[in-house]
């Protein structure tokens, strides 16, 4: 797993792993930031951790080569981005193609990139949400697996909306990872399949909450 921050998605995935709902274990947690809460959560759970600080590398290519080096000896089924804040190079993405998944805090294809909650509020959207997608070289442009919606409340600010979206992230991300690990979900040759059936571009919908 790759992360940069607090690690609440790590916590939800760890809980699913411990209950048997995930169908797998977290082998390694890597952060690009020394102060990530996610590193503390992983350490306390006895998971191997690594700090690969992007500021120590002159180029994105050098940073990604170091990341790839840490990941390649592990025979990982899936590399999970959970609040990971560095854009990955095409070389890294193609090396782990079909085995890289991300959760993005918007209803993709709306609002790829950063500052998603404020952008949804500024647009006057009635709904916001989160999307699990496979990672391709196109930022937040890979095929969607699972999407969850929440209702925007009149008094929401970016923080309150982010907190509501985070609750559904904790539901859909372990689910999507479990599908991948059980091989119900496959991303091959640019097409995404669930139980052998090609998924529509928006992925599966989780019920509105
Ligand atoms: N890499 C590729 N190639 N494709 C994707 O879809 C990726 C990716 C790397 C990360 C997560 C994504 C998100 O869910 C993600 C998806 C970071 C940025 C960003 O602009 C944008 C989107 C995402 C992650 N990062 C700045 C950068 O220069 C740094 C910002 C910071 O450090 O705070 O890399 O939102
Ligand atoms: C989550 O909301 C995740 O969707 C978002 O950051 C938060 C991480 O929270 N991801 C991105 O913005 C990726 N650029 P967490 O550290 O508590 O899991």
């Amino acid at each position: 797993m790759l992360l940069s921050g607090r690690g609440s998605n790590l916590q939800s995935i760890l809980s699913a792993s411990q209950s048997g709902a995930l169908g797998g274990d977290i082998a390694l947690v890597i952060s690009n930031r020394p102060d990530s809460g996610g590193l503390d959560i992983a350490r306390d759970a006895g998971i191997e951790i690594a700090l690969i600080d992007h500021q120590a590398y002159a180029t994105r290519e050098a940073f990604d080569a170091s990341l790839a080096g840490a990941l390649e000896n592990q025979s990982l089924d899936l590399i999970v981005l959970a609040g990971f804040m560095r854009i990955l190079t095409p070389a890294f993405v193609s090396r782990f193609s079909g085995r890289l998944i991300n959760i993005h805090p918007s209803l993709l294809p709306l609002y790829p990139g950063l500052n998603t909650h404020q952008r949804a509020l500024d647009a006057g959207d009635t709904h916001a949400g989160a999307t699990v997608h496979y990672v391709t070289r196109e930022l937040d442009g890979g095929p969607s697996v699972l999407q969850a919606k929440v209702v925007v409340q009149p008094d929401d600010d970016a923080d309150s909306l982010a907190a509501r979206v985070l609750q559904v992230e904790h539901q859909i991300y372990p689910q999507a990872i479990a599908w991948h690990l059980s091989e119900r979900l496959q991303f091959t040759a640019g097409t995404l399949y669930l139980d052998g059936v090609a998924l529509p571009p928006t992925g599966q919908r989780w019920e509105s909450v």
Side-chain angles (χ1 to χ4, degrees):
M1 176 173 299
L2 305 182
L3 51 72
S4 303
R6 163 183 60 185
S8 73
N9 276 289
L10 161 63
Q11 182 62 65
S12 74
I13 294 160
L14 178 62
S15 299
S17 165
Q18 290 167 340
S19 76
L22 198 68
D25 300 318
I26 305 169
L28 170 66
V29 170
I30 302 176
S31 174
N32 66 306
R33 291 190 187 276
D35 55 353
S36 305
L39 283 179
D40 299 325
I41 293 171
R43 189 189 296 106
D44 290 350
I47 299 168
E48 184 183 343
I49 60 173
L51 169 65
I52 302 180
D53 188 340
H54 65 277
Q55 297 187 75
Y57 297 86
T59 64
R60 285 185 191 268
E61 286 72 20
F63 170 66
D64 281 9
S66 180
L67 275 185
L71 295 166
E72 71 181 353
N73 295 324
Q74 297 266 348
S75 69
L76 303 167
D77 295 310
L78 186 64
I79 297 164
V80 174
L81 275 51
F84 181 65
M85 297 308 293
R86 300 300 301 175
I87 296 171
L88 296 163
T89 56
F92 183 95
V93 171
S94 57
R95 183 162 179 175
F96 298 104
S97 176
R99 290 193 293 147
L100 273 170
I101 201 165
N102 179 45
I103 190 158
H104 181 73
S106 79
L107 296 173
L108 290 172
L110 290 176
Y111 318 126
L114 304 177
N115 202 22
T116 54
H117 304 297
Q118 191 59 53
R119 288 156 73 197
L121 291 172
D122 291 347
D125 293 352
T126 58
H127 291 81
T131 306
V132 178
H133 66 94
Y134 281 94
V135 172
T136 64
R137 62 177 60 195
E138 189 190 345
L139 185 67
D140 295 322
S144 294
V145 173
L146 203 47
Q147 193 165 72
K149 276 188 181 182
V150 304
V151 174
V152 177
Q153 303 293 345
D155 57 350
D156 266 332
D157 60 17
D159 287 345
S160 64
L161 184 55
R164 193 170 317 110
V165 170
L166 197 63
Q167 290 180 6
V168 294
E169 292 186 34
H170 297 159
Q171 296 181 273
I172 63 174
Y173 212 7
Q175 173 70 79
I177 294 166
W179 282 347
H180 179 101
L181 294 179
S182 68
E183 297 181 355
R184 290 185 61 190
L185 190 65
Q186 273 173 328
F187 178 42
T188 39
T191 305
L192 186 58
Y193 299 91
L194 181 63
D195 296 329
V197 179
L199 280 181
T202 48
Q204 290 289 108
R205 299 304 176 91
W206 196 262
E207 277 174 44
S208 296
V209 294

